[in-house]
Amino acid sequence: MMRGTLRNPGADLARLPIGLDLRAISIVEGLRAAIACGAVILVNEWVQWPPLFFMALAANLTCFCDVGGPIRQRLFILLAFTLIGALAWCGFGLLRPAGLAVVVPLACAAIFCCSFARVWGVPATAVGNVLVVAIVLSLDEPLSLGGAAVIGAMFIAGGLWAILLALLLWRLHPYQPAHAAVANVWPLLAALAGDLRSLAVSKRTPAADWDAHARSHRRAVREAVERARDVVMELVRGRGALSERGGQALIRLEAGDQIFGALIALSDLLEDADAPDRRQNGARMLRILQATLGTLSRAILTERVLDLSRIERAIDALLVSAAGDPALQPLGEAIAERLRIAVRLSTPGGHDAGETLAGEPTQPSSDRFLGPIRANLTWKSAILRHAMRAAVIAAPALILTLMVEGAFTHWLTITVVLTLQPYYAATWQRALERIGGTMLGGLIGAVLVHFAQTPVALAALMFPLCIIGFSARQVSYGAFIACLMPQLIVLVELVNPGHSSIEIIEMRALFTVIGGAIAVAGCFVLWPSWEPDRLRQELRSTLKAHGGYAKAIIAEILGEGSEKATEGARRAAGVASNNFETSLSRAIQEPGRGDRDKLEAAMVADATLRRAAGRLSALRHANYAHREIDAKSWRAWGDWIADAFTRLAQGEKPMAPRPPKVELESLGRIARQIELLETVLRRFW
């Protein structure tokens, strides 16, 4: 039985992560792009001045660079692209007559810089990709000094026009991206609770289904939490301090993350529960929790005030379901407490809850800019090797593009560079999505052009095509390409009339297939980032993180550690598990799939670590049992678990013998998971 989440189509690590996120459709974004590009094209149909096409193109490219976020950050990124793009277009246009010996090395150096820009995150990656497109297009025709001045001015005008629309038409409040990112965590928690409930009510659920549930849902929630945390902290860095609204977002996020930890513990209890009453009560808790989390998600996203009495009744019902069971009761109380914190922020008088976090220091700008560069100036960096690979592979593609006459040859170089990703599996996925999207979108575009014969009709058609294309930008890469292709066919027909739509589709498909094949082959041959070594590193990090989590839990139980430290250790273990699974997924998708026996051992280790995390979370919340064990025994078990994970990470054996047995089954289950890991990892190391 395959289980998935709203974002994760399944738990099968051998499957390419290609899926549709229909919730990411943004009509407003599509409308803004349509006005930015389509309005200029319509004006050109009236005044008939060709340089306006460069303004329309610049506006279109600027829209591609806008991935959302705080207004100050978006403004800086879009202005930077507008100025750099104008300089690049004019500069390479002026250099074009100098010949291949001058143009190709400089263009490849620029492509290297654009590809290396991903060290600064998603916004910089988007700008780098679009700059590559601008650079390649600028080499189509040489420019005179006067022509370069006109095109540069039109490029800047187009960029500023798109920026103006971005700040007026798409007027996201500064904290709206943070609210949306935080709100996205809650439906994923609701999906986790619902799927866990379906497992709990089943009389016989195979262990593989519990593993699939943990891998799929926990991974999705942890990714959403970390994504939201990055958005909030980026907002804080942009504004210089954590304000009241930023504090609210962080509090909501932390409350959701702690509910996530309690659900992991509950999963462990329900999986091992032999008593029907515990499963029945747990299922009732999850049913109530699923509905409450969904309500909270909608309230956070829309900033709607909640009906406090209704939520309180739901929380009371949840506590009643957990009451009487010594294992479920502390989990119910922990979940109820975090729910009340989140609810308070969505009720009248609760908006001052973020004030307690205001004023936190932020990282200096120089460190944010130079730190990623310094960290990646090593050949061990997959991003550095990716940038070098992109520059080297782009050279022959550029030479072919510049030597062969044709209106469409630049598609080859663009496809090669934009298909390339730091890892082989990601490059293979991008090639498949690009080829499939091109074929589907080309057929749609051919039909549309067949019925729109006049320039005015084609210009008017750009409006709905831009709306559809940009609205689907975040749905999936393949869907975006499919929606973008009709827009491209219409644009080519407007700029260079006389080409049949069939010719455009054929040439686009040809260069897409060839470019995708070159990218996949180049990623295979040139300094590939193969996963076996990285997989070992990620597994070591995951084992150490789980050891740190165990040590933090026992320190908190003994009163020697804080709840904050335990939460940090839990988060680190979750992030490490996600990184390990991502690396494992890439390793499975690589050619030959490496050593099959080692990959199977890694998959078993992954499932075992997810179970161990559940056992540790259950141990943390087992307040009823903590007083039954003396401090000396707790320390002995804490040292043994931490040492065991450290030895496993280092591949050392034999493991130290277990401490004296205690009357707490949770510790025994953790010990059995560790011993299973020791047996499994003998096949891996």
Side-chain angles (χ1 to χ4, degrees):
M1 181 166 59
M2 187 63 66
R3 298 187 178 272
T5 69
L6 294 173
R7 283 191 172 272
N8 191 345
D12 185 0
L13 296 179
R15 176 181 175 181
L16 286 173
I18 298 175
L20 298 177
D21 182 12
L22 299 179
R23 296 177 305 131
I25 293 175
S26 175
I27 301 298
V28 175
E29 184 177 359
L31 182 61
R32 176 173 64 86
I35 295 176
C37 179
V40 179
I41 291 175
L42 279 177
V43 170
N44 182 66
E45 290 302 316
W46 176 45
V47 301
Q48 293 293 311
W49 189 46
L52 283 174
F53 276 118
F54 289 98
M55 180 178 174
L57 178 61
N60 191 268
L61 294 177
T62 304
C63 291
F64 277 113
C65 293
D66 190 3
V67 295
I71 288 180
R72 185 184 300 181
Q73 173 191 323
R74 291 168 60 205
L75 180 62
F76 172 78
I77 289 172
L78 298 181
L79 284 174
F81 167 76
T82 299
L83 296 176
I84 296 172
L87 290 173
W89 196 297
C90 295
F92 281 102
L94 292 170
L95 284 172
R96 179 69 177 84
L100 298 179
V102 174
V103 171
V104 172
L106 289 176
C108 289
I111 289 172
F112 170 86
C113 294
C114 292
S115 301
F116 190 70
R118 66 174 57 229
V119 299
W120 290 301
V122 173
T125 300
V127 171
N129 288 339
V130 180
L131 279 173
V132 168
V133 174
I135 290 168
V136 175
L137 292 178
S138 71
L139 295 173
D140 278 354
E141 294 182 5
L143 296 177
S144 64
L145 194 59
V150 172
I151 289 177
M154 287 296 98
F155 198 101
I156 292 175
L160 293 177
W161 166 236
I163 292 171
L164 180 66
L165 290 174
L167 300 182
L168 292 180
L169 179 62
W170 200 27
R171 292 185 64 184
L172 294 178
H173 294 291
Y175 287 96
Q176 184 60 32
H179 285 314
V182 173
N184 184 56
V185 172
W186 296 82
L188 292 173
L189 284 171
L192 188 156
D195 196 51
L196 184 55
R197 175 175 174 266
S198 69
L199 292 172
V201 298
S202 300
K203 292 183 179 179
R204 293 185 179 180
T205 306
D209 280 5
W210 289 95
D211 291 340
H213 162 84
R215 181 178 294 125
S216 180
H217 286 276
R218 294 187 198 175
R219 184 179 183 182
V221 174
R222 176 51 60 194
E223 287 174 352
V225 168
E226 297 309 315
R227 189 182 303 113
R229 198 184 305 274
D230 289 343
V231 171
V232 174
M233 296 314 298
E234 188 63 39
L235 178 65
V236 171
R237 287 193 291 267
R239 297 180 68 85
L242 182 61
S243 68
E244 176 187 339
R245 300 294 298 278
Q248 291 172 18
L250 274 180
I251 290 172
R252 281 186 173 122
L253 183 60
E254 290 304 321
D257 195 8
Q258 290 173 20
I259 289 173
F260 177 41
L263 284 172
I264 292 175
L266 183 58
S267 172
D268 179 71
L269 289 176
L270 296 181
E271 181 180 359
D272 290 334
D274 294 327
D277 288 346
R278 175 170 292 177
R279 284 208 172 189
Q280 184 178 1
N281 292 334
R284 189 179 299 113
M285 287 174 59
L286 291 165
R287 178 178 58 79
I288 298 168
L289 182 60
Q290 182 183 11
T292 306
L293 291 172
T295 301
L296 261 173
S297 170
R298 293 186 292 273
I300 293 171
L301 186 59
T302 61
E303 297 191 72
R304 177 170 55 86
V305 174
L306 284 170
D307 182 349
L308 184 58
S309 60
R310 181 181 177 186
I311 296 293
E312 277 295 336
R313 286 196 299 270
I315 293 175
D316 289 342
L318 187 148
L319 290 171
V320 169
S321 299
D325 188 311
L328 293 181
Q329 186 168 343
L331 288 175
E333 291 171 352
I335 291 172
E337 179 187 352
R338 272 61 180 185
L339 283 175
R340 288 191 173 107
I341 291 173
V343 168
R344 184 187 172 200
L345 292 169
S346 296
T347 53
H351 292 284
D352 60 346
E355 294 179 353
T356 57
L357 296 176
E360 288 189 4
T362 59
Q363 187 182 21
S365 299
S366 58
D367 290 346
R368 298 202 306 270
F369 179 77
L370 296 176
I373 296 178
R374 289 192 291 262
N376 285 275
L377 286 180
T378 168
W379 198 245
K380 294 180 179 179
S381 168
I383 293 178
L384 178 65
R385 295 198 303 274
H386 161 72
M388 185 65 71
R389 187 187 305 120
V392 171
I393 297 176
L398 275 171
I399 292 172
L400 183 62
T401 297
L402 298 176
M403 290 182 63
V404 176
E405 295 292 333
F408 311 113
T409 53
H410 53 248
W411 285 345
L412 176 63
T413 305
I414 292 173
T415 300
V416 168
V417 178
L418 297 191
T419 302
L420 274 172
Q421 301 296 307
Y423 300 99
Y424 177 87
T427 301
W428 174 243
Q429 174 191 341
R430 180 59 58 91
L432 291 179
E433 290 186 284
R434 195 174 184 89
I435 292 170
T438 296
M439 300 297 186
L440 178 59
L443 293 175
I444 297 172
V447 173
L448 294 175
V449 170
H450 175 74
F451 290 101
Q453 297 291 334
T454 66
V456 175
L458 290 170
L461 193 58
M462 285 295 294
F463 272 90
L465 290 179
C466 283
I467 292 174
I468 294 171
F470 276 85
S471 296
R473 185 158 70 137
Q474 303 298 329
V475 172
S476 80
Y477 185 74
F480 174 54
I481 294 296
C483 294
L484 184 65
M485 186 63 186
Q487 177 185 336
L488 180 64
I489 292 174
V490 172
L491 190 60
V492 169
E493 187 65 25
L494 282 168
V495 177
N496 295 308
H499 296 285
S500 71
S501 57
I502 298 300
E503 178 189 5
I504 298 172
I505 296 169
E506 289 176 345
M507 297 303 295
R508 173 77 179 188
L510 175 64
F511 286 123
T512 298
V513 172
I514 294 174
I518 292 174
V520 172
C523 201
F524 181 83
V525 174
L526 294 177
W527 316 298
S529 298
W530 299 121
E531 286 303 314
D533 289 338
R534 185 179 181 86
L535 187 61
R536 283 191 285 271
Q537 295 171 8
E538 296 292 356
L539 178 55
R540 287 192 176 98
S541 298
T542 306
L543 289 165
K544 290 178 181 178
H546 280 73
Y549 182 31
K551 199 165 186 177
I553 287 172
I554 293 179
E556 183 183 359
I557 291 172
L558 292 172
E560 299 170 355
S562 65
E563 180 181 354
K564 181 179 179 181
T566 306
E567 284 297 318
R570 181 178 66 83
R571 177 191 169 201
V575 171
S577 287
N578 276 18
N579 292 340
F580 174 50
E581 283 184 357
T582 301
S583 180
L584 178 56
S585 179
R586 287 196 295 257
I588 293 171
Q589 295 163 27
E590 285 180 350
R593 298 193 177 185
D595 188 324
R596 187 177 183 84
D597 187 58
K598 287 187 176 183
L599 289 179
E600 289 178 354
M603 292 186 72
V604 175
D606 172 55
T608 306
L609 281 166
R610 288 289 188 190
R611 288 172 177 271
R615 308 259 190 284
L616 289 169
S617 296
L619 177 66
R620 181 187 179 191
H621 290 279
N623 300 327
Y624 65 95
H626 293 169
R627 59 181 177 272
E628 298 177 5
I629 303 177
D630 59 85
K632 182 179 179 181
S633 296
W634 273 121
R635 288 193 179 89
W637 273 94
D639 292 342
W640 181 83
I641 293 172
D643 178 69
F645 275 116
T646 300
R647 286 175 176 269
L648 290 173
Q650 296 171 351
E652 296 179 2
K653 50 186 181 182
M655 191 179 297
R658 279 196 208 183
K661 184 178 179 180
V662 294
E663 295 300 324
L664 184 57
E665 180 56 24
S666 293
L667 288 174
R669 292 202 300 265
I670 292 170
R672 288 193 290 273
Q673 294 298 318
I674 290 173
E675 288 162 356
L676 174 60
L677 276 171
E678 181 188 27
T679 302
V680 169
L681 292 180
R682 289 173 188 167
R683 297 158 51 197
F684 185 82
W685 299 124

Short mmCIF file of all heavy atoms in Angstrom, two decimals, residues 225-253:
data_model
loop_
_atom_site.label_atom_id
_atom_site.label_comp_id
_atom_site.label_asym_id
_atom_site.label_seq_id
_atom_site.Cartn_x
_atom_site.Cartn_y
_atom_site.Cartn_z
N VAL A 225 8.53 22.38 7.54
CA VAL A 225 8.96 23.15 8.72
C VAL A 225 10.24 23.90 8.43
O VAL A 225 10.38 25.10 8.73
CB VAL A 225 9.13 22.22 9.94
CG1 VAL A 225 9.85 22.94 11.08
CG2 VAL A 225 7.78 21.70 10.42
N GLU A 226 11.21 23.22 7.83
CA GLU A 226 12.50 23.87 7.55
C GLU A 226 12.35 24.93 6.47
O GLU A 226 13.01 25.98 6.53
CB GLU A 226 13.54 22.83 7.13
CG GLU A 226 13.86 21.82 8.23
CD GLU A 226 14.21 22.48 9.55
OE1 GLU A 226 14.99 23.46 9.54
OE2 GLU A 226 13.69 22.05 10.59
N ARG A 227 11.48 24.69 5.49
CA ARG A 227 11.22 25.70 4.46
C ARG A 227 10.60 26.94 5.09
O ARG A 227 10.99 28.07 4.79
CB ARG A 227 10.31 25.12 3.39
CG ARG A 227 10.16 26.01 2.16
CD ARG A 227 9.19 25.40 1.16
NE ARG A 227 9.60 24.07 0.75
CZ ARG A 227 8.94 22.97 1.05
NH1 ARG A 227 7.81 23.03 1.76
NH2 ARG A 227 9.37 21.79 0.64
N ALA A 228 9.63 26.73 5.98
CA ALA A 228 8.99 27.86 6.65
C ALA A 228 9.99 28.60 7.54
O ALA A 228 10.00 29.84 7.60
CB ALA A 228 7.81 27.37 7.48
N ARG A 229 10.84 27.85 8.20
CA ARG A 229 11.84 28.49 9.07
C ARG A 229 12.77 29.37 8.24
O ARG A 229 13.12 30.49 8.64
CB ARG A 229 12.64 27.42 9.82
CG ARG A 229 13.39 27.94 11.04
CD ARG A 229 14.23 26.85 11.67
NE ARG A 229 13.44 25.68 12.00
CZ ARG A 229 12.76 25.52 13.14
NH1 ARG A 229 12.78 26.48 14.02
NH2 ARG A 229 12.09 24.42 13.37
N ASP A 230 13.18 28.87 7.07
CA ASP A 230 14.05 29.66 6.19
C ASP A 230 13.35 30.94 5.72
O ASP A 230 13.97 32.01 5.67
CB ASP A 230 14.46 28.82 4.98
CG ASP A 230 15.44 27.72 5.33
OD1 ASP A 230 16.04 27.79 6.43
OD2 ASP A 230 15.58 26.78 4.53
N VAL A 231 12.06 30.83 5.37
CA VAL A 231 11.31 32.00 4.90
C VAL A 231 11.22 33.04 6.01
O VAL A 231 11.44 34.24 5.78
CB VAL A 231 9.90 31.60 4.41
CG1 VAL A 231 9.06 32.83 4.13
CG2 VAL A 231 10.00 30.74 3.15
N VAL A 232 10.88 32.60 7.21
CA VAL A 232 10.74 33.54 8.32
C VAL A 232 12.08 34.21 8.63
O VAL A 232 12.15 35.43 8.82
CB VAL A 232 10.19 32.82 9.58
CG1 VAL A 232 10.17 33.78 10.77
CG2 VAL A 232 8.78 32.31 9.31
N MET A 233 13.15 33.42 8.68
CA MET A 233 14.45 34.00 9.03
C MET A 233 14.97 34.89 7.91
O MET A 233 15.67 35.88 8.17
CB MET A 233 15.45 32.88 9.34
CG MET A 233 15.08 32.07 10.58
SD MET A 233 14.58 33.07 12.01
CE MET A 233 16.07 34.01 12.33
N GLU A 234 14.64 34.59 6.66
CA GLU A 234 15.02 35.47 5.55
C GLU A 234 14.29 36.80 5.69
O GLU A 234 14.86 37.88 5.43
CB GLU A 234 14.66 34.81 4.22
CG GLU A 234 15.18 35.56 3.00
CD GLU A 234 16.70 35.63 2.97
OE1 GLU A 234 17.36 34.63 3.32
OE2 GLU A 234 17.22 36.70 2.60
N LEU A 235 13.05 36.73 6.12
CA LEU A 235 12.29 37.96 6.37
C LEU A 235 12.92 38.76 7.50
O LEU A 235 13.04 39.99 7.43
CB LEU A 235 10.85 37.58 6.72
CG LEU A 235 9.90 38.73 7.05
CD1 LEU A 235 9.70 39.62 5.85
CD2 LEU A 235 8.57 38.18 7.53
N VAL A 236 13.34 38.06 8.54
CA VAL A 236 13.98 38.74 9.68
C VAL A 236 15.27 39.42 9.23
O VAL A 236 15.54 40.57 9.57
CB VAL A 236 14.26 37.73 10.81
CG1 VAL A 236 15.11 38.37 11.90
CG2 VAL A 236 12.95 37.21 11.39
N ARG A 237 16.08 38.69 8.42
CA ARG A 237 17.33 39.27 7.94
C ARG A 237 17.06 40.51 7.08
O ARG A 237 17.81 41.49 7.13
CB ARG A 237 18.13 38.24 7.16
CG ARG A 237 18.77 37.17 8.04
CD ARG A 237 19.79 36.37 7.27
NE ARG A 237 19.17 35.54 6.25
CZ ARG A 237 18.82 34.26 6.45
NH1 ARG A 237 19.03 33.70 7.63
NH2 ARG A 237 18.28 33.55 5.49
N GLY A 238 16.00 40.43 6.27
CA GLY A 238 15.68 41.56 5.40
C GLY A 238 15.24 42.80 6.16
O GLY A 238 15.47 43.92 5.74
N ARG A 239 14.60 42.60 7.32
CA ARG A 239 14.08 43.73 8.09
C ARG A 239 15.01 44.15 9.23
O ARG A 239 14.78 45.16 9.88
CB ARG A 239 12.70 43.38 8.65
CG ARG A 239 11.68 43.11 7.57
CD ARG A 239 10.33 42.77 8.15
NE ARG A 239 9.72 43.90 8.83
CZ ARG A 239 9.00 44.83 8.21
NH1 ARG A 239 8.83 44.76 6.90
NH2 ARG A 239 8.47 45.83 8.89
N GLY A 240 16.06 43.34 9.47
CA GLY A 240 17.07 43.72 10.45
C GLY A 240 16.81 43.27 11.87
O GLY A 240 17.69 43.32 12.71
N ALA A 241 15.58 42.84 12.19
CA ALA A 241 15.25 42.38 13.54
C ALA A 241 13.96 41.59 13.48
O ALA A 241 13.19 41.69 12.53
CB ALA A 241 15.12 43.56 14.50
N LEU A 242 13.73 40.81 14.50
CA LEU A 242 12.51 40.01 14.58
C LEU A 242 11.41 40.86 15.21
O LEU A 242 11.47 41.19 16.39
CB LEU A 242 12.76 38.76 15.40
CG LEU A 242 11.58 37.79 15.52
CD1 LEU A 242 11.16 37.27 14.16
CD2 LEU A 242 11.95 36.63 16.43
N SER A 243 10.42 41.22 14.40
CA SER A 243 9.33 42.05 14.89
C SER A 243 8.25 41.20 15.54
O SER A 243 8.35 39.97 15.62
CB SER A 243 8.73 42.85 13.73
OG SER A 243 8.07 41.97 12.84
N GLU A 244 7.17 41.87 15.96
CA GLU A 244 6.06 41.16 16.58
C GLU A 244 5.45 40.14 15.63
O GLU A 244 5.17 39.00 16.01
CB GLU A 244 4.99 42.17 17.01
CG GLU A 244 3.74 41.53 17.59
CD GLU A 244 2.66 42.55 17.86
OE1 GLU A 244 3.00 43.74 17.97
OE2 GLU A 244 1.49 42.15 17.94
N ARG A 245 5.23 40.52 14.35
CA ARG A 245 4.62 39.61 13.39
C ARG A 245 5.54 38.43 13.08
O ARG A 245 5.10 37.30 12.94
CB ARG A 245 4.28 40.35 12.09
CG ARG A 245 3.30 41.50 12.27
CD ARG A 245 1.94 41.02 12.70
NE ARG A 245 1.31 40.14 11.73
CZ ARG A 245 0.65 40.55 10.65
NH1 ARG A 245 0.53 41.85 10.41
NH2 ARG A 245 0.09 39.69 9.84
N GLY A 246 6.85 38.72 13.00
CA GLY A 246 7.80 37.63 12.80
C GLY A 246 7.82 36.68 13.98
O GLY A 246 7.93 35.46 13.82
N GLY A 247 7.71 37.25 15.18
CA GLY A 247 7.65 36.41 16.38
C GLY A 247 6.42 35.51 16.38
O GLY A 247 6.49 34.34 16.77
N GLN A 248 5.29 36.05 15.92
CA GLN A 248 4.07 35.23 15.82
C GLN A 248 4.28 34.05 14.88
O GLN A 248 3.88 32.92 15.18
CB GLN A 248 2.92 36.09 15.34
CG GLN A 248 2.45 37.14 16.32
CD GLN A 248 1.43 38.07 15.70
OE1 GLN A 248 0.84 37.77 14.68
NE2 GLN A 248 1.23 39.22 16.32
N ALA A 249 4.90 34.33 13.73
CA ALA A 249 5.14 33.27 12.76
C ALA A 249 6.03 32.18 13.36
O ALA A 249 5.78 30.98 13.19
CB ALA A 249 5.76 33.84 11.49
N LEU A 250 7.09 32.60 14.06
CA LEU A 250 7.99 31.61 14.66
C LEU A 250 7.30 30.80 15.76
O LEU A 250 7.52 29.59 15.89
CB LEU A 250 9.23 32.31 15.22
CG LEU A 250 10.38 32.56 14.25
CD1 LEU A 250 11.52 33.26 14.94
CD2 LEU A 250 10.86 31.25 13.63
N ILE A 251 6.46 31.47 16.57
CA ILE A 251 5.76 30.75 17.64
C ILE A 251 4.82 29.71 17.04
O ILE A 251 4.75 28.57 17.51
CB ILE A 251 4.99 31.75 18.53
CG1 ILE A 251 5.99 32.59 19.35
CG2 ILE A 251 4.05 31.01 19.47
CD1 ILE A 251 5.34 33.73 20.11
N ARG A 252 4.07 30.11 16.00
CA ARG A 252 3.18 29.15 15.33
C ARG A 252 3.98 27.97 14.78
O ARG A 252 3.57 26.82 14.87
CB ARG A 252 2.44 29.83 14.20
CG ARG A 252 1.25 30.68 14.63
CD ARG A 252 0.51 31.16 13.41
NE ARG A 252 -0.72 31.84 13.76
CZ ARG A 252 -1.00 33.09 13.42
NH1 ARG A 252 -0.13 33.80 12.74
NH2 ARG A 252 -2.16 33.63 13.76
N LEU A 253 5.13 28.29 14.18
CA LEU A 253 5.94 27.24 13.59
C LEU A 253 6.47 26.29 14.65
O LEU A 253 6.45 25.06 14.47
CB LEU A 253 7.10 27.87 12.81
CG LEU A 253 8.01 26.92 12.06
CD1 LEU A 253 7.23 26.13 11.01
CD2 LEU A 253 9.16 27.68 11.40
#
